[in-house]
Amino acid sequence: MKNSALLALAAASFALALPASAQFAKPEDAVKYRQSAMFIQNQHLGRVAAMASGRVPYDAAAATANAEVVAMISKLPWAGFGPGTEGGKAKPDIWKEQAKFKELNERLMAETEKLAAATKAGNLDAVKAAVSSVGETCKTCHDTFRSR
Ligand code: ASC
């Protein structure tokens, strides 16, 4: 491999190893990023919730496809709450109570993982319970750390 190619590869690995919070060009980008990730989660969770509540006929494959997106995207917003990215609907408490915020971030990732697993197991009651746990987790964090 040419030296220039090696250098480019090294630079790329270094960029990936940086905390994601350091990857935003400006604080507004971090705000937009976390809001976008929340929006995507809302869209896909809504589809599973509609099926779980019976508003839409249950389709196991669609439930899993949507739940997997929620589980994957639930990993993303947190990098958008780095130091100096206060703003949007985020309450300043997020930056004052990092341990509590992190705990809720982790709870969402765990609950959405359980939801995806429940859709794969094909037990509608388990899916309903998992949707409710995910919703409750969203609500707990929003009630605590989101304004408006
Ligand atoms: C959503 C969404 C939320 C949560 C919450 C659950 O789809 O956008 O904020 O679920 O409504 O109570």
Side-chain angles (χ1 to χ4, degrees), residues 2-62:
K2 286 231 166 77
N3 271 351
S4 56
L6 270 178
L7 254 179
L9 191 65
S13 341
F14 180 65
L16 284 174
L18 280 176
S21 56
Q23 293 174 356
F24 299 107
K26 44 190 195 299
E28 304 89 87
D29 287 353
V31 174
K32 199 166 158 185
Y33 178 90
R34 68 201 189 208
Q35 289 181 347
S36 303
M38 295 295 186
F39 178 76
I40 302 282
Q41 289 187 87
N42 166 271
Q43 295 296 297
H44 291 274
L45 178 61
R47 291 170 199 170
V48 184
M51 288 190 267
S53 72
R55 268 179 290 132
V56 168
Y58 195 77
D59 173 333

Side-chain angles (χ1 to χ4, degrees), residues 74-121:
S74 74
K75 297 175 170 58
L76 300 184
W78 328 124
F81 290 93
T85 64
E86 288 86 345
K89 294 181 183 179
K91 281 189 182 167
D93 287 358
I94 288 173
W95 289 271
K96 290 178 202 141
E97 296 176 43
Q98 286 278 288
K100 190 172 174 186
F101 184 61
K102 189 158 185 279
E103 189 187 312
L104 289 168
N105 300 172
E106 277 160 10
R107 194 160 124 197
L108 185 70
M109 293 187 271
E111 295 300 337
T112 56
E113 207 56 68
K114 284 186 209 163
L115 172 59
T119 65
K120 286 177 204 165

Side-chain angles (χ1 to χ4, degrees), residues 42 45-46 135-136 138-139 142 146:
N42 166 271
L45 178 61
E136 201 186 310
C138 298
K139 188 177 183 308
H142 290 163
R146 184 180 71 172

Side-chain angles (χ1 to χ4, degrees), residues 133-148:
S133 299
V134 169
E136 201 186 310
T137 305
C138 298
K139 188 177 183 308
T140 302
C141 197
H142 290 163
D143 288 350
T144 315
F145 290 119
R146 184 180 71 172
S147 61
R148 284 164 290 173

